[in-house]
PDB file of all heavy atoms in Angstrom:
ATOM      1  N   ARG A 219     -53.070   0.527 121.832  1.00 83.00           N
ATOM      2  CA  ARG A 219     -52.505   1.125 120.625  1.00 83.00           C
ATOM      3  C   ARG A 219     -53.511   2.071 119.962  1.00 83.00           C
ATOM      4  O   ARG A 219     -53.146   3.137 119.466  1.00 83.00           O
ATOM      5  CB  ARG A 219     -52.095   0.034 119.638  1.00 83.00           C
ATOM      6  CG  ARG A 219     -50.914  -0.812 120.081  1.00 83.00           C
ATOM      7  CD  ARG A 219     -50.367  -1.627 118.921  1.00 83.00           C
ATOM      8  NE  ARG A 219     -49.395  -2.609 119.350  1.00 83.00           N
ATOM      9  CZ  ARG A 219     -49.657  -3.909 119.500  1.00 83.00           C
ATOM     10  NH1 ARG A 219     -50.879  -4.369 119.250  1.00 83.00           N
ATOM     11  NH2 ARG A 219     -48.718  -4.744 119.889  1.00 83.00           N
ATOM     12  N   LEU A 220     -54.776   1.656 119.922  1.00 80.00           N
ATOM     13  CA  LEU A 220     -55.803   2.504 119.329  1.00 80.00           C
ATOM     14  C   LEU A 220     -55.955   3.806 120.103  1.00 80.00           C
ATOM     15  O   LEU A 220     -56.176   4.867 119.516  1.00 80.00           O
ATOM     16  CB  LEU A 220     -57.141   1.755 119.302  1.00 80.00           C
ATOM     17  CG  LEU A 220     -57.288   0.701 118.209  1.00 80.00           C
ATOM     18  CD1 LEU A 220     -58.509  -0.171 118.470  1.00 80.00           C
ATOM     19  CD2 LEU A 220     -57.387   1.359 116.835  1.00 80.00           C
ATOM     20  N   ALA A 221     -55.841   3.734 121.424  1.00 72.00           N
ATOM     21  CA  ALA A 221     -55.912   4.949 122.243  1.00 72.00           C
ATOM     22  C   ALA A 221     -54.769   5.887 121.896  1.00 72.00           C
ATOM     23  O   ALA A 221     -54.951   7.104 121.804  1.00 72.00           O
ATOM     24  CB  ALA A 221     -55.875   4.583 123.725  1.00 72.00           C
ATOM     25  N   GLY A 222     -53.578   5.328 121.685  1.00 71.00           N
ATOM     26  CA  GLY A 222     -52.433   6.134 121.295  1.00 71.00           C
ATOM     27  C   GLY A 222     -52.627   6.752 119.918  1.00 71.00           C
ATOM     28  O   GLY A 222     -52.284   7.920 119.689  1.00 71.00           O
ATOM     29  N   THR A 223     -53.198   5.976 119.004  1.00 69.00           N
ATOM     30  CA  THR A 223     -53.462   6.470 117.653  1.00 69.00           C
ATOM     31  C   THR A 223     -54.465   7.611 117.684  1.00 69.00           C
ATOM     32  O   THR A 223     -54.300   8.627 116.993  1.00 69.00           O
ATOM     33  CB  THR A 223     -54.001   5.332 116.768  1.00 69.00           C
ATOM     34  OG1 THR A 223     -53.038   4.277 116.712  1.00 69.00           O
ATOM     35  CG2 THR A 223     -54.291   5.830 115.361  1.00 69.00           C
ATOM     36  N   GLU A 224     -55.509   7.455 118.496  1.00 64.00           N
ATOM     37  CA  GLU A 224     -56.510   8.515 118.592  1.00 64.00           C
ATOM     38  C   GLU A 224     -55.902   9.800 119.151  1.00 64.00           C
ATOM     39  O   GLU A 224     -56.218  10.904 118.699  1.00 64.00           O
ATOM     40  CB  GLU A 224     -57.670   8.084 119.488  1.00 64.00           C
ATOM     41  CG  GLU A 224     -58.803   9.102 119.496  1.00 64.00           C
ATOM     42  CD  GLU A 224     -59.704   8.976 120.703  1.00 64.00           C
ATOM     43  OE1 GLU A 224     -59.414   8.177 121.593  1.00 64.00           O
ATOM     44  OE2 GLU A 224     -60.701   9.716 120.753  1.00 64.00           O
ATOM     45  N   LYS A 225     -55.002   9.656 120.115  1.00 70.00           N
ATOM     46  CA  LYS A 225     -54.354  10.825 120.713  1.00 70.00           C
ATOM     47  C   LYS A 225     -53.565  11.593 119.664  1.00 70.00           C
ATOM     48  O   LYS A 225     -53.643  12.829 119.576  1.00 70.00           O
ATOM     49  CB  LYS A 225     -53.438  10.384 121.851  1.00 70.00           C
ATOM     50  CG  LYS A 225     -52.793  11.537 122.601  1.00 70.00           C
ATOM     51  CD  LYS A 225     -51.955  11.031 123.769  1.00 70.00           C
ATOM     52  CE  LYS A 225     -51.311  12.181 124.517  1.00 70.00           C
ATOM     53  NZ  LYS A 225     -50.497  11.681 125.670  1.00 70.00           N
ATOM     54  N   VAL A 226     -52.786  10.873 118.837  1.00 71.00           N
ATOM     55  CA  VAL A 226     -52.003  11.513 117.774  1.00 71.00           C
ATOM     56  C   VAL A 226     -52.939  12.167 116.757  1.00 71.00           C
ATOM     57  O   VAL A 226     -52.716  13.310 116.313  1.00 71.00           O
ATOM     58  CB  VAL A 226     -51.093  10.487 117.087  1.00 71.00           C
ATOM     59  CG1 VAL A 226     -50.425  11.102 115.857  1.00 71.00           C
ATOM     60  CG2 VAL A 226     -50.038   9.972 118.051  1.00 71.00           C
ATOM     61  N   TYR A 227     -54.007  11.446 116.397  1.00 60.00           N
ATOM     62  CA  TYR A 227     -54.979  11.961 115.430  1.00 60.00           C
ATOM     63  C   TYR A 227     -55.578  13.284 115.905  1.00 60.00           C
ATOM     64  O   TYR A 227     -55.668  14.263 115.145  1.00 60.00           O
ATOM     65  CB  TYR A 227     -56.069  10.910 115.219  1.00 60.00           C
ATOM     66  CG  TYR A 227     -57.311  11.409 114.526  1.00 60.00           C
ATOM     67  CD1 TYR A 227     -57.338  11.612 113.145  1.00 60.00           C
ATOM     68  CD2 TYR A 227     -58.477  11.674 115.248  1.00 60.00           C
ATOM     69  CE1 TYR A 227     -58.478  12.073 112.506  1.00 60.00           C
ATOM     70  CE2 TYR A 227     -59.617  12.137 114.625  1.00 60.00           C
ATOM     71  CZ  TYR A 227     -59.622  12.328 113.263  1.00 60.00           C
ATOM     72  OH  TYR A 227     -60.750  12.783 112.628  1.00 60.00           O
ATOM     73  N   ARG A 228     -55.975  13.331 117.171  1.00 69.00           N
ATOM     74  CA  ARG A 228     -56.585  14.549 117.709  1.00 69.00           C
ATOM     75  C   ARG A 228     -55.579  15.701 117.751  1.00 69.00           C
ATOM     76  O   ARG A 228     -55.940  16.855 117.512  1.00 69.00           O
ATOM     77  CB  ARG A 228     -57.158  14.279 119.101  1.00 69.00           C
ATOM     78  CG  ARG A 228     -58.380  13.379 119.082  1.00 69.00           C
ATOM     79  CD  ARG A 228     -59.113  13.373 120.406  1.00 69.00           C
ATOM     80  NE  ARG A 228     -60.303  12.548 120.345  1.00 69.00           N
ATOM     81  CZ  ARG A 228     -61.455  12.930 119.821  1.00 69.00           C
ATOM     82  NH1 ARG A 228     -61.572  14.150 119.309  1.00 69.00           N
ATOM     83  NH2 ARG A 228     -62.502  12.125 119.809  1.00 69.00           N
ATOM     84  N   GLN A 229     -54.332  15.394 118.064  1.00 73.00           N
ATOM     85  CA  GLN A 229     -53.302  16.427 118.091  1.00 73.00           C
ATOM     86  C   GLN A 229     -53.098  17.031 116.702  1.00 73.00           C
ATOM     87  O   GLN A 229     -52.966  18.249 116.547  1.00 73.00           O
ATOM     88  CB  GLN A 229     -51.991  15.850 118.616  1.00 73.00           C
ATOM     89  CG  GLN A 229     -52.013  15.537 120.104  1.00 73.00           C
ATOM     90  CD  GLN A 229     -50.770  14.804 120.558  1.00 73.00           C
ATOM     91  OE1 GLN A 229     -50.003  14.256 119.753  1.00 73.00           O
ATOM     92  NE2 GLN A 229     -50.543  14.777 121.871  1.00 73.00           N
ATOM     93  N   VAL A 230     -53.093  16.164 115.677  1.00 74.00           N
ATOM     94  CA  VAL A 230     -52.915  16.632 114.298  1.00 74.00           C
ATOM     95  C   VAL A 230     -54.106  17.487 113.871  1.00 74.00           C
ATOM     96  O   VAL A 230     -53.940  18.555 113.255  1.00 74.00           O
ATOM     97  CB  VAL A 230     -52.743  15.431 113.337  1.00 74.00           C
ATOM     98  CG1 VAL A 230     -52.788  15.902 111.882  1.00 74.00           C
ATOM     99  CG2 VAL A 230     -51.438  14.708 113.621  1.00 74.00           C
ATOM    100  N   VAL A 231     -55.319  17.043 114.212  1.00 70.00           N
ATOM    101  CA  VAL A 231     -56.531  17.797 113.851  1.00 70.00           C
ATOM    102  C   VAL A 231     -56.538  19.158 114.541  1.00 70.00           C
ATOM    103  O   VAL A 231     -56.854  20.187 113.923  1.00 70.00           O
ATOM    104  CB  VAL A 231     -57.801  16.991 114.223  1.00 70.00           C
ATOM    105  CG1 VAL A 231     -59.037  17.862 114.081  1.00 70.00           C
ATOM    106  CG2 VAL A 231     -57.917  15.758 113.343  1.00 70.00           C
TER     107      VAL A 231
END
Side-chain angles (χ1 to χ4, degrees):
R219 292 194 190 101
L220 283 168
T223 300
E224 186 201 5
K225 184 177 180 180
V226 172
Y227 166 77
R228 290 193 178 280
Q229 289 173 344
V230 171
V231 170

